[in-house]
mmCIF file of all heavy atoms in Angstrom:
data_model
loop_
_atom_site.group_PDB
_atom_site.id
_atom_site.type_symbol
_atom_site.label_atom_id
_atom_site.label_comp_id
_atom_site.label_asym_id
_atom_site.label_seq_id
_atom_site.Cartn_x
_atom_site.Cartn_y
_atom_site.Cartn_z
ATOM 1 N N TYR B 41 79.461 105.889 100.022
ATOM 2 C CA TYR B 41 78.496 104.929 99.503
ATOM 3 C C TYR B 41 77.186 105.647 99.214
ATOM 4 O O TYR B 41 76.807 106.582 99.927
ATOM 5 C CB TYR B 41 78.228 103.801 100.510
ATOM 6 C CG TYR B 41 79.420 102.909 100.787
ATOM 7 C CD1 TYR B 41 80.379 103.281 101.729
ATOM 8 C CD2 TYR B 41 79.576 101.702 100.114
ATOM 9 C CE1 TYR B 41 81.475 102.470 101.989
ATOM 10 C CE2 TYR B 41 80.667 100.881 100.373
ATOM 11 C CZ TYR B 41 81.609 101.281 101.303
ATOM 12 O OH TYR B 41 82.692 100.467 101.552
ATOM 13 N N GLN B 43 73.111 104.967 98.928
ATOM 14 C CA GLN B 43 72.073 104.000 99.290
ATOM 15 C C GLN B 43 70.739 104.435 98.720
ATOM 16 O O GLN B 43 70.246 105.528 99.019
ATOM 17 C CB GLN B 43 71.960 103.843 100.809
ATOM 18 C CG GLN B 43 70.978 102.752 101.229
ATOM 19 C CD GLN B 43 70.911 102.537 102.728
ATOM 20 O OE1 GLN B 43 71.276 103.413 103.512
ATOM 21 N NE2 GLN B 43 70.459 101.359 103.144
ATOM 22 N N GLY B 46 66.202 100.990 95.418
ATOM 23 C CA GLY B 46 66.292 100.072 94.296
ATOM 24 C C GLY B 46 67.632 99.375 94.152
ATOM 25 O O GLY B 46 67.705 98.178 93.895
ATOM 26 N N GLN B 47 68.695 100.115 94.332
ATOM 27 C CA GLN B 47 70.047 99.583 94.110
ATOM 28 C C GLN B 47 70.761 99.184 95.392
ATOM 29 O O GLN B 47 71.823 98.562 95.336
ATOM 30 C CB GLN B 47 70.899 100.615 93.368
ATOM 31 C CG GLN B 47 70.370 100.973 91.994
ATOM 32 C CD GLN B 47 70.320 99.770 91.079
ATOM 33 O OE1 GLN B 47 71.247 98.965 91.047
ATOM 34 N NE2 GLN B 47 69.220 99.624 90.364
ATOM 35 N N GLY B 48 70.199 99.536 96.535
ATOM 36 C CA GLY B 48 70.866 99.196 97.785
ATOM 37 C C GLY B 48 72.077 100.074 98.027
ATOM 38 O O GLY B 48 72.108 101.231 97.619
ATOM 39 N N LEU B 49 73.070 99.501 98.678
ATOM 40 C CA LEU B 49 74.293 100.225 99.013
ATOM 41 C C LEU B 49 75.345 99.987 97.940
ATOM 42 O O LEU B 49 75.754 98.857 97.695
ATOM 43 C CB LEU B 49 74.829 99.743 100.362
ATOM 44 C CG LEU B 49 74.086 100.263 101.579
ATOM 45 C CD1 LEU B 49 74.069 99.240 102.701
ATOM 46 C CD2 LEU B 49 74.746 101.568 102.059
ATOM 47 N N PHE B 51 79.160 101.337 96.352
ATOM 48 C CA PHE B 51 80.404 102.031 96.618
ATOM 49 C C PHE B 51 80.659 103.100 95.558
ATOM 50 O O PHE B 51 80.564 102.839 94.353
ATOM 51 C CB PHE B 51 81.537 101.012 96.641
ATOM 52 C CG PHE B 51 82.915 101.593 96.697
ATOM 53 C CD1 PHE B 51 83.387 102.177 97.857
ATOM 54 C CD2 PHE B 51 83.741 101.538 95.588
ATOM 55 C CE1 PHE B 51 84.665 102.693 97.918
ATOM 56 C CE2 PHE B 51 85.023 102.053 95.634
ATOM 57 C CZ PHE B 51 85.490 102.632 96.805
ATOM 58 N N GLU B 54 86.910 105.722 97.420
ATOM 59 C CA GLU B 54 87.639 105.755 98.676
ATOM 60 C C GLU B 54 88.849 106.653 98.517
ATOM 61 O O GLU B 54 89.533 106.631 97.476
ATOM 62 C CB GLU B 54 88.114 104.365 99.107
ATOM 63 C CG GLU B 54 88.903 104.385 100.421
ATOM 64 C CD GLU B 54 89.458 103.035 100.829
ATOM 65 O OE1 GLU B 54 89.415 102.086 100.028
ATOM 66 O OE2 GLU B 54 89.952 102.928 101.969
ATOM 67 N N ARG B 61 91.961 106.003 95.852
ATOM 68 C CA ARG B 61 92.626 104.728 95.602
ATOM 69 C C ARG B 61 91.665 103.635 95.168
ATOM 70 O O ARG B 61 92.074 102.507 94.921
ATOM 71 C CB ARG B 61 93.415 104.276 96.809
ATOM 72 C CG ARG B 61 92.610 103.912 98.036
ATOM 73 C CD ARG B 61 93.564 103.362 99.099
ATOM 74 N NE ARG B 61 92.867 102.926 100.303
ATOM 75 C CZ ARG B 61 93.480 102.407 101.354
ATOM 76 N NH1 ARG B 61 94.783 102.258 101.356
ATOM 77 N NH2 ARG B 61 92.799 102.021 102.412
ATOM 78 N N ASN B 62 90.401 103.958 95.080
ATOM 79 C CA ASN B 62 89.439 102.985 94.595
ATOM 80 C C ASN B 62 88.200 103.738 94.137
ATOM 81 O O ASN B 62 87.827 104.753 94.752
ATOM 82 C CB ASN B 62 89.082 102.005 95.708
ATOM 83 C CG ASN B 62 88.692 100.640 95.180
ATOM 84 O OD1 ASN B 62 88.472 100.469 93.981
ATOM 85 N ND2 ASN B 62 88.626 99.673 96.071
ATOM 86 N N LEU B 94 70.463 108.373 99.976
ATOM 87 C CA LEU B 94 71.200 108.615 101.218
ATOM 88 C C LEU B 94 72.670 108.379 100.898
ATOM 89 O O LEU B 94 73.032 107.311 100.395
ATOM 90 C CB LEU B 94 70.734 107.652 102.308
ATOM 91 C CG LEU B 94 71.423 107.782 103.668
ATOM 92 C CD1 LEU B 94 71.052 109.099 104.352
ATOM 93 C CD2 LEU B 94 71.068 106.600 104.569
ATOM 94 N N LEU B 96 76.286 107.887 102.328
ATOM 95 C CA LEU B 96 76.958 107.498 103.560
ATOM 96 C C LEU B 96 78.463 107.604 103.402
ATOM 97 O O LEU B 96 79.024 107.202 102.387
ATOM 98 C CB LEU B 96 76.591 106.062 103.937
ATOM 99 C CG LEU B 96 75.138 105.824 104.357
ATOM 100 C CD1 LEU B 96 74.818 104.344 104.371
ATOM 101 C CD2 LEU B 96 74.887 106.416 105.731
ATOM 102 N N ARG B 100 87.997 104.565 108.222
ATOM 103 C CA ARG B 100 88.725 103.486 108.873
ATOM 104 C C ARG B 100 90.163 103.922 109.097
ATOM 105 O O ARG B 100 90.665 104.816 108.424
ATOM 106 C CB ARG B 100 88.676 102.185 108.085
ATOM 107 C CG ARG B 100 89.141 102.263 106.669
ATOM 108 C CD ARG B 100 89.060 100.899 106.019
ATOM 109 N NE ARG B 100 89.240 100.953 104.575
ATOM 110 C CZ ARG B 100 89.504 99.911 103.815
ATOM 111 N NH1 ARG B 100 89.616 98.715 104.350
ATOM 112 N NH2 ARG B 100 89.638 100.038 102.507
ATOM 113 N N GLY B 105 98.421 97.068 104.746
ATOM 114 C CA GLY B 105 98.133 95.660 104.557
ATOM 115 C C GLY B 105 96.978 95.103 105.344
ATOM 116 O O GLY B 105 96.675 93.922 105.250
ATOM 117 N N THR B 106 96.273 95.952 106.090
ATOM 118 C CA THR B 106 95.172 95.419 106.901
ATOM 119 C C THR B 106 93.913 96.240 106.683
ATOM 120 O O THR B 106 93.922 97.439 106.889
ATOM 121 C CB THR B 106 95.541 95.475 108.400
ATOM 122 O OG1 THR B 106 96.747 94.747 108.608
ATOM 123 C CG2 THR B 106 94.430 94.856 109.236
ATOM 124 N N PRO B 107 92.832 95.600 106.277
ATOM 125 C CA PRO B 107 91.586 96.354 106.114
ATOM 126 C C PRO B 107 90.833 96.405 107.429
ATOM 127 O O PRO B 107 90.298 95.405 107.882
ATOM 128 C CB PRO B 107 90.818 95.535 105.085
ATOM 129 C CG PRO B 107 91.262 94.137 105.301
ATOM 130 C CD PRO B 107 92.670 94.205 105.866
ATOM 131 N N GLU B 108 90.825 97.548 108.053
ATOM 132 C CA GLU B 108 90.111 97.652 109.320
ATOM 133 C C GLU B 108 88.625 97.839 109.078
ATOM 134 O O GLU B 108 88.179 98.104 107.979
ATOM 135 C CB GLU B 108 90.647 98.844 110.126
ATOM 136 C CG GLU B 108 92.067 98.695 110.610
ATOM 137 C CD GLU B 108 93.055 99.212 109.597
ATOM 138 O OE1 GLU B 108 92.641 99.634 108.512
ATOM 139 O OE2 GLU B 108 94.259 99.191 109.902
ATOM 140 N N THR B 109 87.888 97.757 110.145
ATOM 141 C CA THR B 109 86.442 97.950 110.081
ATOM 142 C C THR B 109 86.120 99.377 109.689
ATOM 143 O O THR B 109 86.760 100.325 110.136
ATOM 144 C CB THR B 109 85.829 97.639 111.450
ATOM 145 O OG1 THR B 109 86.107 96.286 111.771
ATOM 146 C CG2 THR B 109 84.331 97.883 111.448
ATOM 147 N N GLN B 110 85.114 99.521 108.850
ATOM 148 C CA GLN B 110 84.645 100.850 108.464
ATOM 149 C C GLN B 110 83.545 101.301 109.409
ATOM 150 O O GLN B 110 82.615 100.548 109.699
ATOM 151 C CB GLN B 110 84.114 100.820 107.025
ATOM 152 C CG GLN B 110 85.197 100.556 106.001
ATOM 153 C CD GLN B 110 84.754 100.804 104.580
ATOM 154 O OE1 GLN B 110 83.772 101.500 104.338
ATOM 155 N NE2 GLN B 110 85.479 100.258 103.628
ATOM 156 N N PHE B 112 80.611 104.159 110.056
ATOM 157 C CA PHE B 112 79.791 105.017 109.212
ATOM 158 C C PHE B 112 79.298 106.269 109.926
ATOM 159 O O PHE B 112 79.059 106.262 111.133
ATOM 160 C CB PHE B 112 78.579 104.235 108.696
ATOM 161 C CG PHE B 112 78.915 103.268 107.603
ATOM 162 C CD1 PHE B 112 79.451 102.023 107.900
ATOM 163 C CD2 PHE B 112 78.716 103.614 106.269
ATOM 164 C CE1 PHE B 112 79.766 101.130 106.877
ATOM 165 C CE2 PHE B 112 79.028 102.726 105.250
ATOM 166 C CZ PHE B 112 79.560 101.488 105.557
ATOM 167 N N GLY B 113 79.096 107.304 109.127
ATOM 168 C CA GLY B 113 78.443 108.504 109.606
ATOM 169 C C GLY B 113 76.930 108.370 109.480
ATOM 170 O O GLY B 113 76.433 107.352 108.985
ATOM 171 N N PRO B 114 76.183 109.395 109.897
ATOM 172 C CA PRO B 114 74.719 109.329 109.878
ATOM 173 C C PRO B 114 74.116 109.510 108.493
ATOM 174 O O PRO B 114 72.932 109.266 108.302
ATOM 175 C CB PRO B 114 74.309 110.475 110.797
ATOM 176 C CG PRO B 114 75.430 111.447 110.686
ATOM 177 C CD PRO B 114 76.672 110.624 110.504
ATOM 178 N N ARG B 117 70.936 112.928 103.414
ATOM 179 C CA ARG B 117 69.816 112.561 102.541
ATOM 180 C C ARG B 117 69.633 113.659 101.513
ATOM 181 O O ARG B 117 69.334 114.798 101.853
ATOM 182 C CB ARG B 117 68.545 112.365 103.350
ATOM 183 C CG ARG B 117 67.374 111.900 102.510
ATOM 184 C CD ARG B 117 66.155 111.567 103.366
ATOM 185 N NE ARG B 117 66.372 110.401 104.211
ATOM 186 C CZ ARG B 117 66.304 109.152 103.790
ATOM 187 N NH1 ARG B 117 66.031 108.900 102.531
ATOM 188 N NH2 ARG B 117 66.490 108.160 104.627
ATOM 189 N N TYR D 52 87.105 89.415 104.979
ATOM 190 C CA TYR D 52 86.340 89.696 106.184
ATOM 191 C C TYR D 52 84.853 89.682 105.830
ATOM 192 O O TYR D 52 84.460 90.030 104.719
ATOM 193 C CB TYR D 52 86.678 91.086 106.734
ATOM 194 C CG TYR D 52 87.998 91.195 107.443
ATOM 195 C CD1 TYR D 52 89.207 91.182 106.756
ATOM 196 C CD2 TYR D 52 88.053 91.341 108.827
ATOM 197 C CE1 TYR D 52 90.412 91.299 107.413
ATOM 198 C CE2 TYR D 52 89.254 91.471 109.489
ATOM 199 C CZ TYR D 52 90.434 91.447 108.781
ATOM 200 O OH TYR D 52 91.628 91.564 109.439
ATOM 201 N N PHE D 54 81.035 90.983 107.557
ATOM 202 C CA PHE D 54 80.467 91.876 108.561
ATOM 203 C C PHE D 54 78.952 91.781 108.561
ATOM 204 O O PHE D 54 78.323 91.487 107.543
ATOM 205 C CB PHE D 54 80.815 93.345 108.245
ATOM 206 C CG PHE D 54 82.283 93.649 108.133
ATOM 207 C CD1 PHE D 54 82.946 93.450 106.931
ATOM 208 C CD2 PHE D 54 82.985 94.147 109.203
ATOM 209 C CE1 PHE D 54 84.297 93.739 106.797
ATOM 210 C CE2 PHE D 54 84.342 94.445 109.089
ATOM 211 C CZ PHE D 54 84.993 94.237 107.880
ATOM 212 N N TYR D 56 76.113 94.618 109.581
ATOM 213 C CA TYR D 56 75.813 95.981 110.005
ATOM 214 C C TYR D 56 74.314 96.083 110.257
ATOM 215 O O TYR D 56 73.507 95.437 109.595
ATOM 216 C CB TYR D 56 76.204 96.993 108.927
ATOM 217 C CG TYR D 56 77.676 97.328 108.863
ATOM 218 C CD1 TYR D 56 78.539 96.601 108.036
ATOM 219 C CD2 TYR D 56 78.205 98.381 109.603
ATOM 220 C CE1 TYR D 56 79.890 96.928 107.959
ATOM 221 C CE2 TYR D 56 79.555 98.709 109.533
ATOM 222 C CZ TYR D 56 80.381 97.973 108.711
ATOM 223 O OH TYR D 56 81.722 98.293 108.648
ATOM 224 N N GLN D 58 71.116 98.892 110.556
ATOM 225 C CA GLN D 58 70.701 100.249 110.225
ATOM 226 C C GLN D 58 69.298 100.489 110.786
ATOM 227 O O GLN D 58 68.315 100.102 110.170
ATOM 228 C CB GLN D 58 70.732 100.484 108.707
ATOM 229 C CG GLN D 58 70.512 101.939 108.323
ATOM 230 C CD GLN D 58 70.608 102.164 106.820
ATOM 231 O OE1 GLN D 58 70.091 101.392 106.031
ATOM 232 N NE2 GLN D 58 71.276 103.249 106.428
ATOM 233 N N SER D 61 66.920 105.481 112.315
ATOM 234 C CA SER D 61 67.727 106.705 112.268
ATOM 235 C C SER D 61 68.665 106.731 111.054
ATOM 236 O O SER D 61 69.221 107.781 110.726
ATOM 237 C CB SER D 61 68.574 106.814 113.537
ATOM 238 O OG SER D 61 69.564 105.787 113.561
ATOM 239 N N ARG D 62 68.847 105.576 110.411
ATOM 240 C CA ARG D 62 69.679 105.421 109.202
ATOM 241 C C ARG D 62 71.178 105.344 109.504
ATOM 242 O O ARG D 62 71.973 105.205 108.599
ATOM 243 C CB ARG D 62 69.436 106.543 108.181
ATOM 244 C CG ARG D 62 67.983 106.767 107.851
ATOM 245 C CD ARG D 62 67.398 105.584 107.186
ATOM 246 N NE ARG D 62 67.629 105.566 105.753
ATOM 247 C CZ ARG D 62 67.260 104.573 104.945
ATOM 248 N NH1 ARG D 62 66.679 103.521 105.433
ATOM 249 N NH2 ARG D 62 67.502 104.648 103.659
ATOM 250 N N GLN D 63 71.547 105.436 110.772
ATOM 251 C CA GLN D 63 72.961 105.308 111.139
ATOM 252 C C GLN D 63 73.374 103.853 110.996
ATOM 253 O O GLN D 63 72.786 102.962 111.586
ATOM 254 C CB GLN D 63 73.162 105.753 112.595
ATOM 255 C CG GLN D 63 74.555 105.527 113.128
ATOM 256 C CD GLN D 63 75.518 106.617 112.737
ATOM 257 O OE1 GLN D 63 75.254 107.795 112.924
ATOM 258 N NE2 GLN D 63 76.649 106.234 112.160
ATOM 259 N N MET D 64 74.391 103.590 110.214
ATOM 260 C CA MET D 64 74.883 102.229 109.996
ATOM 261 C C MET D 64 75.814 101.870 111.151
ATOM 262 O O MET D 64 76.823 102.546 111.372
ATOM 263 C CB MET D 64 75.630 102.169 108.671
ATOM 264 C CG MET D 64 75.915 100.777 108.171
ATOM 265 S SD MET D 64 74.469 99.969 107.484
ATOM 266 C CE MET D 64 74.454 100.738 105.886
ATOM 267 N N ILE D 65 75.477 100.800 111.845
ATOM 268 C CA ILE D 65 76.225 100.415 113.046
ATOM 269 C C ILE D 65 76.792 99.017 112.877
ATOM 270 O O ILE D 65 76.076 98.091 112.490
ATOM 271 C CB ILE D 65 75.283 100.437 114.278
ATOM 272 C CG1 ILE D 65 74.668 101.831 114.455
ATOM 273 C CG2 ILE D 65 76.033 100.018 115.543
ATOM 274 C CD1 ILE D 65 73.483 101.860 115.380
ATOM 275 N N LEU D 66 78.072 98.856 113.170
ATOM 276 C CA LEU D 66 78.690 97.543 113.093
ATOM 277 C C LEU D 66 78.139 96.653 114.198
ATOM 278 O O LEU D 66 78.114 97.031 115.363
ATOM 279 C CB LEU D 66 80.202 97.650 113.242
ATOM 280 C CG LEU D 66 80.943 96.317 113.295
ATOM 281 C CD1 LEU D 66 80.906 95.641 111.925
ATOM 282 C CD2 LEU D 66 82.370 96.521 113.765
ATOM 283 N N ARG D 69 81.984 91.176 113.328
ATOM 284 C CA ARG D 69 82.944 90.978 112.249
ATOM 285 C C ARG D 69 83.563 89.593 112.366
ATOM 286 O O ARG D 69 83.835 89.121 113.457
ATOM 287 C CB ARG D 69 84.037 92.036 112.334
ATOM 288 C CG ARG D 69 85.121 91.930 111.288
ATOM 289 C CD ARG D 69 86.111 93.066 111.394
ATOM 290 N NE ARG D 69 87.345 92.643 112.012
ATOM 291 C CZ ARG D 69 88.450 93.393 112.004
ATOM 292 N NH1 ARG D 69 88.443 94.569 111.448
ATOM 293 N NH2 ARG D 69 89.549 92.942 112.583
ATOM 294 N N PHE D 110 72.385 94.364 107.332
ATOM 295 C CA PHE D 110 73.128 94.156 106.098
ATOM 296 C C PHE D 110 74.329 93.263 106.347
ATOM 297 O O PHE D 110 75.109 93.489 107.281
ATOM 298 C CB PHE D 110 73.616 95.486 105.525
ATOM 299 C CG PHE D 110 72.521 96.385 105.046
ATOM 300 C CD1 PHE D 110 72.001 97.371 105.864
ATOM 301 C CD2 PHE D 110 72.002 96.246 103.763
ATOM 302 C CE1 PHE D 110 70.990 98.209 105.428
ATOM 303 C CE2 PHE D 110 70.994 97.086 103.312
ATOM 304 C CZ PHE D 110 70.479 98.059 104.143
ATOM 305 N N MET D 114 84.391 91.975 102.525
ATOM 306 C CA MET D 114 85.538 92.775 102.121
ATOM 307 C C MET D 114 86.721 91.842 101.948
ATOM 308 O O MET D 114 87.058 91.102 102.882
ATOM 309 C CB MET D 114 85.882 93.835 103.168
ATOM 310 C CG MET D 114 87.118 94.643 102.820
ATOM 311 S SD MET D 114 87.699 95.656 104.194
ATOM 312 C CE MET D 114 86.455 96.925 104.194
ATOM 313 N N LYS D 115 87.356 91.873 100.800
ATOM 314 C CA LYS D 115 88.520 91.017 100.620
ATOM 315 C C LYS D 115 89.750 91.698 101.187
ATOM 316 O O LYS D 115 89.803 92.904 101.331
ATOM 317 C CB LYS D 115 88.711 90.656 99.158
ATOM 318 C CG LYS D 115 89.457 91.668 98.287
ATOM 319 C CD LYS D 115 89.656 91.076 96.899
ATOM 320 C CE LYS D 115 90.568 91.945 96.042
ATOM 321 N NZ LYS D 115 91.980 91.835 96.465
ATOM 322 N N LEU D 116 90.741 90.875 101.512
ATOM 323 C CA LEU D 116 91.986 91.409 102.041
ATOM 324 C C LEU D 116 92.885 91.887 100.916
ATOM 325 O O LEU D 116 92.727 91.465 99.760
ATOM 326 C CB LEU D 116 92.713 90.327 102.858
ATOM 327 C CG LEU D 116 92.439 90.312 104.359
ATOM 328 C CD1 LEU D 116 91.000 89.962 104.642
ATOM 329 C CD2 LEU D 116 93.382 89.368 105.062
ATOM 330 N N PRO D 117 93.827 92.766 101.229
ATOM 331 C CA PRO D 117 94.817 93.163 100.234
ATOM 332 C C PRO D 117 95.617 91.953 99.753
ATOM 333 O O PRO D 117 95.624 90.934 100.425
ATOM 334 C CB PRO D 117 95.704 94.138 101.002
ATOM 335 C CG PRO D 117 94.876 94.620 102.128
ATOM 336 C CD PRO D 117 93.999 93.457 102.488
ATOM 337 N N ASN D 120 93.080 97.452 97.548
ATOM 338 C CA ASN D 120 92.153 97.943 98.561
ATOM 339 C C ASN D 120 90.743 97.833 98.016
ATOM 340 O O ASN D 120 90.447 98.325 96.949
ATOM 341 C CB ASN D 120 92.481 99.387 98.900
ATOM 342 C CG ASN D 120 93.855 99.469 99.533
ATOM 343 O OD1 ASN D 120 94.057 98.982 100.630
ATOM 344 N ND2 ASN D 120 94.785 100.065 98.837
ATOM 345 N N THR D 121 89.895 97.194 98.742
ATOM 346 C CA THR D 121 88.571 96.899 98.220
ATOM 347 C C THR D 121 87.507 97.466 99.143
ATOM 348 O O THR D 121 87.686 97.546 100.349
ATOM 349 C CB THR D 121 88.361 95.393 98.087
ATOM 350 O OG1 THR D 121 88.508 94.792 99.373
ATOM 351 C CG2 THR D 121 89.364 94.799 97.133
ATOM 352 N N PRO D 122 86.392 97.843 98.571
ATOM 353 C CA PRO D 122 85.302 98.381 99.379
ATOM 354 C C PRO D 122 84.461 97.259 99.972
ATOM 355 O O PRO D 122 84.650 96.085 99.658
ATOM 356 C CB PRO D 122 84.487 99.156 98.357
ATOM 357 C CG PRO D 122 84.660 98.367 97.098
ATOM 358 C CD PRO D 122 86.085 97.867 97.140
ATOM 359 N N LEU D 123 83.544 97.648 100.817
ATOM 360 C CA LEU D 123 82.547 96.714 101.302
ATOM 361 C C LEU D 123 81.553 96.415 100.177
ATOM 362 O O LEU D 123 81.123 97.321 99.474
ATOM 363 C CB LEU D 123 81.790 97.314 102.484
ATOM 364 C CG LEU D 123 82.538 97.400 103.816
ATOM 365 C CD1 LEU D 123 81.804 98.317 104.776
ATOM 366 C CD2 LEU D 123 82.690 96.018 104.431
ATOM 367 N N PHE D 125 77.842 94.936 99.841
ATOM 368 C CA PHE D 125 76.705 94.693 100.716
ATOM 369 C C PHE D 125 75.648 93.809 100.066
ATOM 370 O O PHE D 125 75.456 93.835 98.845
ATOM 371 C CB PHE D 125 76.021 96.014 101.076
ATOM 372 C CG PHE D 125 76.785 96.873 102.043
ATOM 373 C CD1 PHE D 125 77.684 97.827 101.589
ATOM 374 C CD2 PHE D 125 76.598 96.736 103.410
ATOM 375 C CE1 PHE D 125 78.384 98.628 102.478
ATOM 376 C CE2 PHE D 125 77.295 97.533 104.305
ATOM 377 C CZ PHE D 125 78.187 98.477 103.839
ATOM 378 N N GLY D 126 74.927 93.071 100.888
ATOM 379 C CA GLY D 126 73.703 92.436 100.455
ATOM 380 C C GLY D 126 72.573 93.448 100.441
ATOM 381 O O GLY D 126 72.758 94.613 100.824
ATOM 382 N N LYS D 127 71.395 93.013 100.023
ATOM 383 C CA LYS D 127 70.245 93.910 99.907
ATOM 384 C C LYS D 127 69.587 94.203 101.259
ATOM 385 O O LYS D 127 68.777 95.114 101.357
ATOM 386 C CB LYS D 127 69.197 93.321 98.965
ATOM 387 C CG LYS D 127 69.661 93.243 97.516
ATOM 388 C CD LYS D 127 69.815 94.611 96.896
ATOM 389 C CE LYS D 127 70.074 94.521 95.395
ATOM 390 N NZ LYS D 127 70.321 95.852 94.794
#
Side-chain angles (χ1 to χ4, degrees):
Chain B
Y41 294 84
Q43 185 177 21
Q47 298 299 317
L49 284 147
F51 171 73
E54 179 183 10
R61 67 175 183 180
N62 209 348
L94 180 68
L96 292 166
R100 55 179 168 164
T106 303
E108 293 89 357
T109 299
Q110 293 192 19
F112 285 81
R117 184 174 293 281
Chain D
Y52 284 73
F54 303 85
Y56 281 91
Q58 189 177 43
S61 68
R62 309 296 275 176
Q63 174 82 51
M64 193 76 80
I65 302 165
L66 175 70
R69 179 176 103 168
F110 293 95
M114 177 191 287
K115 84 175 188 74
L116 267 65
N120 296 293
T121 60
L123 287 166
F125 287 91
K127 293 292 189 184

